[in-house]
Amino acid sequence: MKTMILYASTYGFTRDCAQKLKQNLNGETILIDINKDPIPALDNFDTVLIGGSIYIGQIQKKIKKYCLSHLDELKNKKLGFFISCGSAETVDTYFKNSFPEILLEKALSIQNFGGEMRPDQMNFFHKFISNMVDKSADKQAAPPMKPLPENIIQMSNVMNNLS
Ligand SMILES: Cc1cc2nc3c(=O)[nH]c(=O)nc-3n(C[C@H](O)[C@H](O)[C@H](O)COP(=O)(O)O)c2cc1C
């Protein structure tokens, strides 16, 4: 099994998750940051895992664009999709908004890796919004945002059991 993990991460939480995913996978795996690394041709891989983080309901645009522009090639791969986000309740909607339906239907694993705020690294705008989100979550007694490392293990188990 040769795997590419392609991800976008604004403040590093999704990067950390993608690194853990790589550590847990059997076989050769390369990790590609869509914002920094050259993206290799897909014919080098039989398994492709793609993910990013949710900001104001949306995944990073580059991830969305990549899936749409490589739709036909991706359809023929073993696929997994992941997101990082704060709200467990709206995860299904986030997946539907982030990835083409036809690819989600084909995916062998779809996982929410949870989320983490890193305010020390945030720009002013993001810090402002995250304060508002915190206050509104307090009012609605929403469950707190937290990492879900068990879902990283779940995805790696599914992929490892294929080979
Ligand atoms: C400005 C801002 C907006 C966010 N918007 C959402 C959102 O709409 N829904 C959600 O579930 N999480 C939201 N989050 C939480 C992020 O998805 C979460 O912090 C994630 O772990 C970030 O991952 P990253 O560091 O890899 O970018 C938001 C976070 C920030 C800072």
Side-chain angles (χ1 to χ4, degrees):
M1 173 170 96
K2 196 169 173 192
T3 303
M4 171 167 76
I5 304 173
L6 178 69
Y7 71 90
S9 177
T10 305
Y11 294 114
F13 176 77
T14 314
R15 176 177 306 114
D16 293 349
C17 293
Q19 279 165 353
K20 281 181 199 143
L21 183 61
K22 179 178 189 274
Q23 283 163 14
N24 286 317
L25 287 172
N26 299 336
E28 190 183 339
T29 302
I30 67 154
L31 200 56
I32 302 291
D33 180 341
I34 202 164
N35 288 312
K36 290 189 184 145
D37 302 320
I39 305 175
L42 275 168
D43 42 358
N44 294 321
F45 304 95
D46 44 36
T47 303
V48 183
L49 310 176
I50 303 179
S53 41
I54 302 295
Y55 285 81
I56 320 176
Q58 297 294 324
I59 202 163
Q60 287 89 349
K61 277 199 190 99
K62 281 190 185 175
I63 290 288
K64 236 175 156 166
K65 265 193 182 165
Y66 179 86
C67 291
L68 286 172
S69 59
H70 293 81
L71 202 62
D72 286 334
E73 284 172 283
L74 286 170
K75 268 193 257 175
N76 299 317
K77 306 291 175 188
K78 293 168 191 159
L79 293 173
F81 295 101
F82 57 91
I83 56 171
S84 305
C85 68
S87 163
E89 288 157 13
T90 37
V91 162
D92 287 350
T93 311
Y94 293 154
F95 274 111
K96 279 183 196 143
N97 287 342
S98 301
F99 304 105
E101 195 180 346
I102 191 156
L103 298 184
L104 286 175
E105 279 167 8
K106 258 218 80 202
L108 302 168
S109 176
I110 295 173
Q111 287 291 350
N112 167 23
F113 289 168
E116 195 173 85
M117 292 283 195
R118 297 185 170 174
D120 47 318
Q121 295 173 43
M122 279 179 201
N123 66 30
F124 176 79
F125 176 62
H126 281 174
K127 218 178 255 184
F128 179 73
I129 295 186
S130 70
N131 283 336
M132 284 185 6
V133 171
D134 278 350
K135 280 181 194 148
S136 127
D138 277 354
K139 269 191 201 142
Q140 295 170 22
M145 176 179 317
K146 59 173 187 180
L148 298 171
E150 62 275 25
N151 292 351
I152 301 176
I153 305 279
Q154 277 270 3
M155 179 171 275
S156 41
N157 285 347
V158 168
M159 294 301 160
N160 287 338
N161 285 334
L162 297 175
S163 45

